[in-house]
Amino acid sequence: MRGFDTIVMVDWSSGNDTGPRPRKDAIWAAVNRNGAAEAPVYLRNRLMAEEWLTALFDQERAAGRRVLAGFDFPFGYPKGFAAALTGSADPLTVWDWFEARVEDTPKHNNRFDLAGQVNLALGGGKGPFWFNGLQRDINGLARRKDEYSNPFPDKRQSEQRTKGAFTCWQMGGAGAVGGQVFTGLPILARLRRKYDAAVWPFMALDKDIALVEIWPSLTVGPAPDDQIKDAWQVQEVARQIAALPEDRLAEMLTVDAPEEGWIFGLGYEAELKAPVLQNDCFALPPGVHWTPVDEALALLQGRLAPVCGVETLPLGQAAGRLLAEDVEAQRANPPLPNTAVDGYGFAGGRGAGAHDLPLVKGRAAAGDAPVVVPSDHAIRVLTGAALPEGVDTVILQEDVKVDADRLLFTGPIKQGANTRKAGEDVDAGEVLLHAGRRLTPADLALGAATGNDHISVRKHLRVGVLSTGDELVDPGTPAKDGQIYDANRPMLLSLIAQFGHAPVDLGRVQDDRSALRDVLDQAVPQADVILTSGGASAGDEDHVSALLQEAGAMDLWRIAVKPGRPLALGMWQGKPVFGLPGNPVAALVCALIFARPALEVLAGGHWRAPQAFNVPAAFTKSKKAGRREYLRARMKDGAAEVFGSEGSGRISGLSWAEGLVELPEPAMQVAPGDPVRFIPYASFGL
């Protein structure tokens, strides 16, 4: 089945005509066509909304575009209502039933009277609907929920899983979902018939137009201060859905809800909330040409956001993954007060002198069900055992004598000695781990100890790696004079794997703009972010920067760094592209300093600066002012020595080194013994 070209989202209202001036609590709609967002549309009443939708569907169908149209009210009722009302469990018969009976004009509709008639027919006038919003009384429809009686469930299964969901039986007042259904379903019934539209999730989505139940509040946060909430939400929802890969959208639309319907995005909230990068996210401020390293890092940190989806994994499979949601303790650790040592337990402390307590039969060991110990008695306890009822103090077995069935010891001993309190480590409900954390084995132990068996994590960030240049050949291929073996691609692919992401080998491409364009196009469905090496400057053969410039989503960052300097940053069909320098040393340094923390944020993690240490220098260096320099270095006898050459093509220095010495931008003289900043490769996760 072909994907959807056009996404439209409609925020409905059961109120009367709201006048010509755009306002909240009205009908708002937004269109996103082929990934391009349009401004929200204000529709002052339902008649105008139906006319607008009809014109939109006509236009899109004539252009051969498939449409997914979302509406923010229930498409079905709780189980049993359809059959009771129409004699059929098919929810679409309810649509037709309403369409035949609802009278609706811009200033008036009969929804309250019709709700009263349904109550009299199905619930003896006591339900299922409630709230009369008119000044006159209506037979069968109470003004409030007093003496309310509902023969059907109060909420659908999907609504029970949706925080803050209102019931569809409420006809008026704040959150009057019932009124939206009464006034919305008749219009959807007409649109369905006119366009032979598919209705989700009751039908296969094999038509040109699909009608889908979507609640913006599920995935869209607060609106900016200068925007109407409903207008903001419809535009954001349309953007969220348009940004989904075709197969991912199809997966989200695969649900089994034959009668009640479902709410699109339920269970995928974190993924849909993930921001989408804008084409201008890498644009430098006006007038900026040379960018200091710290400023470049701050700009990247402030402009990037997660692009990865979310999945739920068994705890044992989540090591090394990035948390998508906070993890809470499902129960306390320890869950009950327990003993910290092998010994004997009793109640209360004891003063100085000799003590003699009768021993109860049996013992308390780890995993045993707690028993009851009478007052002034003792029991044998083993490390980790839950304290039996009547025990709050434990004495070490080395400090006692046991004579037949009696416990003999010399005090004093404090009450509570050698015991652990319930929740002493972690309380139930306490947040253990925060979203964005990369999970360690210790984290998994903590999660398991507190009752977590599955965990919500980000999917792996797919990082495509592409080498460019006529001079490159693959290792194992005969190299002609003037050709070199591609060292960057295997280096960067292994870096990506060690960073914890999923490397995608995009191969190499010659200095041909058309060929490069084809490779980038093919990379879009395979990768979430693309790293290229070579072609990132501004010369005639620098096709990476040229293509990104053509796409209108590129900025060449001339960073005050050595080795490195040019870093092409841009977007290709919504995917961020990092154009690294072609020289291997510069490519590695830029990947570690700039790409690594940026990729972590794109993957759903936190911006992570590498851990550095001040150590004595074992070298002499006269540094000019202007650029921050990174020297290949390693530790020897407690001091940092540097590689003999600073050339960007000296790959042997990368293998020789154990990390980088970072020298700041000002001019400086380094003599042996002077403190320098050393960043081990291990600080980058290598």
mmCIF file of all heavy atoms in Angstrom, residues 3-30:
data_model
loop_
_atom_site.group_PDB
_atom_site.id
_atom_site.type_symbol
_atom_site.label_atom_id
_atom_site.label_comp_id
_atom_site.label_asym_id
_atom_site.label_seq_id
_atom_site.Cartn_x
_atom_site.Cartn_y
_atom_site.Cartn_z
ATOM 1 N N GLY A 3 2.074 5.046 0.733
ATOM 2 C CA GLY A 3 1.933 5.883 1.910
ATOM 3 C C GLY A 3 1.052 7.092 1.653
ATOM 4 O O GLY A 3 0.526 7.303 0.557
ATOM 5 N N PHE A 4 0.919 7.916 2.685
ATOM 6 C CA PHE A 4 0.066 9.101 2.602
ATOM 7 C C PHE A 4 0.899 10.315 2.199
ATOM 8 O O PHE A 4 1.976 10.561 2.741
ATOM 9 C CB PHE A 4 -0.628 9.354 3.939
ATOM 10 C CG PHE A 4 -1.609 8.284 4.313
ATOM 11 C CD1 PHE A 4 -1.244 7.259 5.181
ATOM 12 C CD2 PHE A 4 -2.885 8.281 3.777
ATOM 13 C CE1 PHE A 4 -2.139 6.262 5.517
ATOM 14 C CE2 PHE A 4 -3.794 7.281 4.115
ATOM 15 C CZ PHE A 4 -3.411 6.270 4.977
ATOM 16 N N ASP A 5 0.374 11.080 1.261
ATOM 17 C CA ASP A 5 1.057 12.288 0.792
ATOM 18 C C ASP A 5 0.671 13.513 1.607
ATOM 19 O O ASP A 5 1.473 14.426 1.798
ATOM 20 C CB ASP A 5 0.698 12.552 -0.680
ATOM 21 C CG ASP A 5 0.930 11.336 -1.553
ATOM 22 O OD1 ASP A 5 2.096 10.964 -1.741
ATOM 23 O OD2 ASP A 5 -0.064 10.747 -2.027
ATOM 24 N N THR A 6 -0.576 13.521 2.069
ATOM 25 C CA THR A 6 -1.117 14.693 2.754
ATOM 26 C C THR A 6 -1.675 14.287 4.104
ATOM 27 O O THR A 6 -2.440 13.319 4.214
ATOM 28 C CB THR A 6 -2.234 15.346 1.927
ATOM 29 O OG1 THR A 6 -1.710 15.702 0.642
ATOM 30 C CG2 THR A 6 -2.784 16.588 2.611
ATOM 31 N N ILE A 7 -1.273 15.019 5.129
ATOM 32 C CA ILE A 7 -1.805 14.814 6.477
ATOM 33 C C ILE A 7 -2.619 16.050 6.848
ATOM 34 O O ILE A 7 -2.142 17.178 6.717
ATOM 35 C CB ILE A 7 -0.681 14.621 7.515
ATOM 36 C CG1 ILE A 7 0.318 13.552 7.052
ATOM 37 C CG2 ILE A 7 -1.267 14.282 8.865
ATOM 38 C CD1 ILE A 7 -0.257 12.176 6.891
ATOM 39 N N VAL A 8 -3.850 15.831 7.275
ATOM 40 C CA VAL A 8 -4.674 16.940 7.763
ATOM 41 C C VAL A 8 -5.173 16.589 9.160
ATOM 42 O O VAL A 8 -5.574 15.457 9.421
ATOM 43 C CB VAL A 8 -5.859 17.241 6.807
ATOM 44 C CG1 VAL A 8 -6.713 16.006 6.589
ATOM 45 C CG2 VAL A 8 -6.713 18.384 7.351
ATOM 46 N N MET A 9 -5.097 17.537 10.064
ATOM 47 C CA MET A 9 -5.568 17.333 11.430
ATOM 48 C C MET A 9 -6.612 18.383 11.758
ATOM 49 O O MET A 9 -6.427 19.573 11.478
ATOM 50 C CB MET A 9 -4.399 17.437 12.426
ATOM 51 C CG MET A 9 -4.818 17.227 13.879
ATOM 52 S SD MET A 9 -5.454 15.561 14.179
ATOM 53 C CE MET A 9 -6.694 15.893 15.446
ATOM 54 N N VAL A 10 -7.737 17.923 12.339
ATOM 55 C CA VAL A 10 -8.856 18.808 12.659
ATOM 56 C C VAL A 10 -9.155 18.733 14.150
ATOM 57 O O VAL A 10 -9.324 17.640 14.699
ATOM 58 C CB VAL A 10 -10.112 18.433 11.853
ATOM 59 C CG1 VAL A 10 -11.253 19.402 12.174
ATOM 60 C CG2 VAL A 10 -9.817 18.425 10.362
ATOM 61 N N ASP A 11 -9.201 19.876 14.806
ATOM 62 C CA ASP A 11 -9.625 19.976 16.207
ATOM 63 C C ASP A 11 -11.083 20.426 16.213
ATOM 64 O O ASP A 11 -11.410 21.525 15.765
ATOM 65 C CB ASP A 11 -8.740 20.983 16.947
ATOM 66 C CG ASP A 11 -9.065 21.057 18.427
ATOM 67 O OD1 ASP A 11 -10.106 21.650 18.778
ATOM 68 O OD2 ASP A 11 -8.289 20.514 19.226
ATOM 69 N N TRP A 12 -11.974 19.546 16.711
ATOM 70 C CA TRP A 12 -13.419 19.742 16.559
ATOM 71 C C TRP A 12 -14.015 20.552 17.697
ATOM 72 O O TRP A 12 -13.410 20.717 18.763
ATOM 73 C CB TRP A 12 -14.103 18.382 16.477
ATOM 74 C CG TRP A 12 -15.432 18.400 15.786
ATOM 75 C CD1 TRP A 12 -16.658 18.211 16.342
ATOM 76 C CD2 TRP A 12 -15.669 18.636 14.394
ATOM 77 N NE1 TRP A 12 -17.631 18.300 15.391
ATOM 78 C CE2 TRP A 12 -17.053 18.564 14.186
ATOM 79 C CE3 TRP A 12 -14.833 18.902 13.307
ATOM 80 C CZ2 TRP A 12 -17.622 18.751 12.938
ATOM 81 C CZ3 TRP A 12 -15.399 19.075 12.067
ATOM 82 C CH2 TRP A 12 -16.778 18.997 11.892
ATOM 83 N N SER A 13 -15.215 21.042 17.480
ATOM 84 C CA SER A 13 -15.980 21.758 18.507
ATOM 85 C C SER A 13 -17.459 21.516 18.283
ATOM 86 O O SER A 13 -17.928 21.491 17.142
ATOM 87 C CB SER A 13 -15.687 23.264 18.457
ATOM 88 O OG SER A 13 -16.550 23.975 19.333
ATOM 89 N N SER A 14 -18.195 21.328 19.390
ATOM 90 C CA SER A 14 -19.647 21.159 19.296
ATOM 91 C C SER A 14 -20.389 22.452 19.597
ATOM 92 O O SER A 14 -21.620 22.479 19.643
ATOM 93 C CB SER A 14 -20.109 20.069 20.274
ATOM 94 O OG SER A 14 -19.758 20.406 21.612
ATOM 95 N N GLY A 15 -19.638 23.547 19.781
ATOM 96 C CA GLY A 15 -20.270 24.823 20.096
ATOM 97 C C GLY A 15 -20.840 25.516 18.870
ATOM 98 O O GLY A 15 -20.679 25.065 17.731
ATOM 99 N N ASN A 16 -21.485 26.649 19.106
ATOM 100 C CA ASN A 16 -22.092 27.416 18.020
ATOM 101 C C ASN A 16 -21.038 28.244 17.283
ATOM 102 O O ASN A 16 -19.878 28.322 17.690
ATOM 103 C CB ASN A 16 -23.181 28.337 18.574
ATOM 104 C CG ASN A 16 -24.381 27.546 19.075
ATOM 105 O OD1 ASN A 16 -24.629 26.429 18.617
ATOM 106 N ND2 ASN A 16 -25.121 28.124 20.009
ATOM 107 N N ASP A 17 -21.453 28.845 16.171
ATOM 108 C CA ASP A 17 -20.594 29.691 15.346
ATOM 109 C C ASP A 17 -19.834 30.676 16.229
ATOM 110 O O ASP A 17 -20.416 31.379 17.055
ATOM 111 C CB ASP A 17 -21.459 30.448 14.332
ATOM 112 C CG ASP A 17 -20.619 31.184 13.297
ATOM 113 O OD1 ASP A 17 -19.735 31.954 13.688
ATOM 114 O OD2 ASP A 17 -20.857 30.969 12.096
ATOM 115 N N THR A 18 -18.505 30.742 16.046
ATOM 116 C CA THR A 18 -17.672 31.570 16.913
ATOM 117 C C THR A 18 -17.321 32.924 16.321
ATOM 118 O O THR A 18 -16.533 33.670 16.894
ATOM 119 C CB THR A 18 -16.360 30.817 17.235
ATOM 120 O OG1 THR A 18 -15.771 30.360 16.011
ATOM 121 C CG2 THR A 18 -16.627 29.617 18.120
ATOM 122 N N GLY A 19 -17.877 33.249 15.156
ATOM 123 C CA GLY A 19 -17.627 34.553 14.577
ATOM 124 C C GLY A 19 -16.388 34.575 13.707
ATOM 125 O O GLY A 19 -15.626 33.607 13.643
ATOM 126 N N PRO A 20 -16.156 35.694 13.029
ATOM 127 C CA PRO A 20 -15.077 35.761 12.033
ATOM 128 C C PRO A 20 -13.675 35.856 12.623
ATOM 129 O O PRO A 20 -12.700 35.579 11.939
ATOM 130 C CB PRO A 20 -15.418 37.030 11.243
ATOM 131 C CG PRO A 20 -16.180 37.879 12.216
ATOM 132 C CD PRO A 20 -16.965 36.930 13.074
ATOM 133 N N ARG A 21 -13.561 36.240 13.871
ATOM 134 C CA ARG A 21 -12.236 36.444 14.450
ATOM 135 C C ARG A 21 -11.709 35.132 15.031
ATOM 136 O O ARG A 21 -12.379 34.490 15.842
ATOM 137 C CB ARG A 21 -12.303 37.497 15.556
ATOM 138 C CG ARG A 21 -10.951 37.845 16.143
ATOM 139 C CD ARG A 21 -11.085 38.955 17.173
ATOM 140 N NE ARG A 21 -9.797 39.309 17.746
ATOM 141 C CZ ARG A 21 -9.627 40.242 18.668
ATOM 142 N NH1 ARG A 21 -10.678 40.932 19.109
ATOM 143 N NH2 ARG A 21 -8.423 40.495 19.150
ATOM 144 N N PRO A 22 -10.508 34.690 14.609
ATOM 145 C CA PRO A 22 -9.954 33.443 15.133
ATOM 146 C C PRO A 22 -9.870 33.460 16.652
ATOM 147 O O PRO A 22 -9.445 34.451 17.249
ATOM 148 C CB PRO A 22 -8.554 33.382 14.505
ATOM 149 C CG PRO A 22 -8.674 34.192 13.257
ATOM 150 C CD PRO A 22 -9.631 35.297 13.586
ATOM 151 N N ARG A 23 -10.286 32.357 17.267
ATOM 152 C CA ARG A 23 -10.319 32.285 18.715
ATOM 153 C C ARG A 23 -10.131 30.840 19.158
ATOM 154 O O ARG A 23 -10.176 29.905 18.357
ATOM 155 C CB ARG A 23 -11.644 32.822 19.258
ATOM 156 C CG ARG A 23 -12.866 32.256 18.561
ATOM 157 C CD ARG A 23 -14.130 32.446 19.356
ATOM 158 N NE ARG A 23 -14.181 31.560 20.514
ATOM 159 C CZ ARG A 23 -15.180 31.552 21.400
ATOM 160 N NH1 ARG A 23 -16.186 32.398 21.260
ATOM 161 N NH2 ARG A 23 -15.166 30.726 22.408
ATOM 162 N N LYS A 24 -9.912 30.663 20.444
ATOM 163 C CA LYS A 24 -9.753 29.316 20.982
ATOM 164 C C LYS A 24 -11.117 28.642 21.104
ATOM 165 O O LYS A 24 -12.172 29.273 20.942
ATOM 166 C CB LYS A 24 -9.070 29.363 22.343
ATOM 167 C CG LYS A 24 -9.862 30.078 23.426
ATOM 168 C CD LYS A 24 -9.109 30.040 24.750
ATOM 169 C CE LYS A 24 -9.944 30.701 25.857
ATOM 170 N NZ LYS A 24 -9.259 30.624 27.171
ATOM 171 N N ASP A 25 -11.097 27.329 21.390
ATOM 172 C CA ASP A 25 -12.313 26.529 21.545
ATOM 173 C C ASP A 25 -13.197 26.600 20.307
ATOM 174 O O ASP A 25 -14.425 26.607 20.402
ATOM 175 C CB ASP A 25 -13.104 26.972 22.782
ATOM 176 C CG ASP A 25 -12.294 26.819 24.057
ATOM 177 O OD1 ASP A 25 -11.510 25.858 24.132
ATOM 178 O OD2 ASP A 25 -12.435 27.657 24.963
ATOM 179 N N ALA A 26 -12.557 26.683 19.145
ATOM 180 C CA ALA A 26 -13.279 26.665 17.876
ATOM 181 C C ALA A 26 -12.749 25.482 17.067
ATOM 182 O O ALA A 26 -12.016 24.632 17.580
ATOM 183 C CB ALA A 26 -13.061 27.979 17.133
ATOM 184 N N ILE A 27 -13.125 25.410 15.808
ATOM 185 C CA ILE A 27 -12.610 24.356 14.934
ATOM 186 C C ILE A 27 -11.362 24.884 14.237
ATOM 187 O O ILE A 27 -11.382 25.945 13.614
ATOM 188 C CB ILE A 27 -13.674 23.936 13.898
ATOM 189 C CG1 ILE A 27 -14.918 23.395 14.602
ATOM 190 C CG2 ILE A 27 -13.107 22.863 12.967
ATOM 191 C CD1 ILE A 27 -16.064 23.067 13.654
ATOM 192 N N TRP A 28 -10.285 24.128 14.357
ATOM 193 C CA TRP A 28 -9.027 24.478 13.711
ATOM 194 C C TRP A 28 -8.545 23.275 12.902
ATOM 195 O O TRP A 28 -8.754 22.129 13.293
ATOM 196 C CB TRP A 28 -7.964 24.860 14.740
ATOM 197 C CG TRP A 28 -8.146 26.232 15.309
ATOM 198 C CD1 TRP A 28 -8.852 26.575 16.421
ATOM 199 C CD2 TRP A 28 -7.614 27.451 14.782
ATOM 200 N NE1 TRP A 28 -8.799 27.925 16.635
ATOM 201 C CE2 TRP A 28 -8.034 28.494 15.640
ATOM 202 C CE3 TRP A 28 -6.820 27.765 13.686
ATOM 203 C CZ2 TRP A 28 -7.692 29.821 15.424
ATOM 204 C CZ3 TRP A 28 -6.475 29.084 13.468
ATOM 205 C CH2 TRP A 28 -6.905 30.105 14.329
ATOM 206 N N ALA A 29 -7.903 23.539 11.784
ATOM 207 C CA ALA A 29 -7.373 22.473 10.940
ATOM 208 C C ALA A 29 -6.006 22.884 10.416
ATOM 209 O O ALA A 29 -5.699 24.074 10.301
ATOM 210 C CB ALA A 29 -8.315 22.184 9.774
ATOM 211 N N ALA A 30 -5.183 21.879 10.126
ATOM 212 C CA ALA A 30 -3.859 22.142 9.557
ATOM 213 C C ALA A 30 -3.516 21.047 8.563
ATOM 214 O O ALA A 30 -3.893 19.890 8.736
ATOM 215 C CB ALA A 30 -2.794 22.222 10.644
#
